[in-house]
Amino acid sequence: MAVATVSLAVSNGLSIGGLPPFYKPMREEFVASGAVAAAHAETFIANSANITFLVSGVFSLLGGWLALRFPLKNLMIAGCVLLGCGLVLHSQGETANVIYLARTLMGASLGFIGVAPCVVLVSRWFEEGRGTALGITLVGTSLGGTLIPLIASPLIAHYGWRTAMLSLSSLVWFILLPAILLFVREPSDRTAETAGKAAIDGVSWAHALRTPIFWALAACSALIFYPIFATSQQFVLYLQTPKIGVSAETAAFAQSALFAISIGGKFLAGFASDKLGPVRVMMFCAALLFAASLVLLNLTASTALVFLLPFALGYGGTFVIIQRLASDLFGRADAGRILGTITLIEVIGAAIGGKITGYLADLYGGDYTVAFYGVTIAAAGAFLAAVVVAILSRKDKART
């Protein structure tokens, strides 16, 4: 579980959560050099992030299929190589296409060392208290988003974004890769009976896709990841617009605060799901996410924290419960492919959110006000979808 947590902290921190501090200096350099037109600068940033998310979804599905045939340790080693090479290439890229290629490698890495494989690894070890175990493990995604911006911001200020990114790639080569090589293992023969029961318990991937509750959960996931993605990737740019007027350093701190607060949401949701049931916790967290997003309708520098605190708690909670529900509703016989499919669908929702947000920001001359109205609309849809999941879950229990 510890290695899975470190894996999520490094992989998500360096490919998703920790990258927004790089966006402004990277955007300014590429516009100044003529590599990107000024009128499409926000779209360039959104496209870069979207590529990472979309590719991670495709490779999460592939990783789920490969996890049935190869040891997870081997997949995680491959993920480290992809992430490390992507970061090195990104730090040297001079054109938009090179950046897009680098983000493709970084997204592919998440299919092997990101959320889906780490959830599968932890689920194979834990039968009792699985919600708490997953909550602790998934804190890693928030740790990366919290720590990487705080490390990156001063490095960027002193050495430039390229040197900062190249320096941070050492976390992959000298911390994550050795940890995986030394410590990752799956249940041994002494736990074979328990592991065997876990392995055969549940429905097939094809069967899951034929159930209404799968698509309700998938829709909920996609709608949740629209606001999560837009906020985690583009809110830092919104804060630095003239309307809000926050400095780059303060925006980086707000970025870190978003992920730091979500740690509490992830742990509390995981623990509460063991006590109250994951469906109830999912509805509550989705409602909290929507309530927080209403602040975006009239955001100012002074109300940014009013938005961030409940939003981060709701974001952390929904993130954990989606992963748990994928296992609880369909079992673990084909958990890798089922969770990989959910991941693919949620990153499509995230990519749509990022694309719409970037497009609207460009349309309004770099102002993100209207662009973030979409976050409120998607959060409302996510809450309604969570209610549908709850209704279908009760009907399934009544039939059994």
Side-chain angles (χ1 to χ4, degrees), residues 9-41:
V10 174
S11 63
N12 278 56
L14 291 178
S15 61
I16 299 176
L19 289 188
F22 290 89
Y23 290 162
K24 187 176 181 181
M26 185 174 75
R27 178 187 62 191
E28 292 173 348
E29 179 186 313
F30 275 63
V31 170
S33 69
V36 174
H40 302 292

Side-chain angles (χ1 to χ4, degrees), residues 195-257:
K197 289 178 181 178
I200 62 173
D201 181 32
V203 301
S204 69
W205 175 71
H207 182 276
L209 263 59
R210 293 194 296 268
T211 62
I213 197 168
F214 173 88
W215 294 106
L217 179 62
C220 185
S221 301
L223 288 165
I224 282 172
F225 267 77
Y226 180 127
I228 287 177
F229 180 82
T231 303
S232 66
Q233 297 296 296
Q234 290 154 301
F235 190 64
V236 66
L237 297 174
Y238 187 11
L239 291 176
Q240 295 176 75
T241 58
K243 177 186 175 182
I244 308 298
V246 169
S247 68
E249 292 76 14
T250 303
F253 176 79
Q255 177 81 11
S256 294

Side-chain angles (χ1 to χ4, degrees), residues 20 29 62 105 121 201 219 229 282 287 290 296 318 358 366 376:
E29 179 186 313
L62 175 62
L105 294 176
L121 178 62
D201 181 32
F229 180 82
M282 181 70 170
F290 170 57
L296 293 170
T318 54
T376 303

Side-chain angles (χ1 to χ4, degrees), residues 49-61:
N50 283 348
I51 287 170
T52 304
F53 260 76
L54 284 172
V55 174
S56 73
V58 173
F59 274 80
S60 290
L61 183 57

Side-chain angles (χ1 to χ4, degrees), residues 73 77 176-184:
K73 183 174 184 175
I77 291 170
L176 180 56
L177 183 57
I180 291 171
L181 287 170
L182 293 173
F183 300 116
V184 168

Side-chain angles (χ1 to χ4, degrees), residues 86-109:
L87 287 165
V88 172
L89 180 62
H90 196 300
S91 71
Q92 305 303 308
E94 298 285 350
T95 67
N97 286 336
V98 173
I99 298 301
Y100 293 157
L101 175 59
R103 296 303 291 266
T104 298
L105 294 176
M106 294 158 70
S109 75

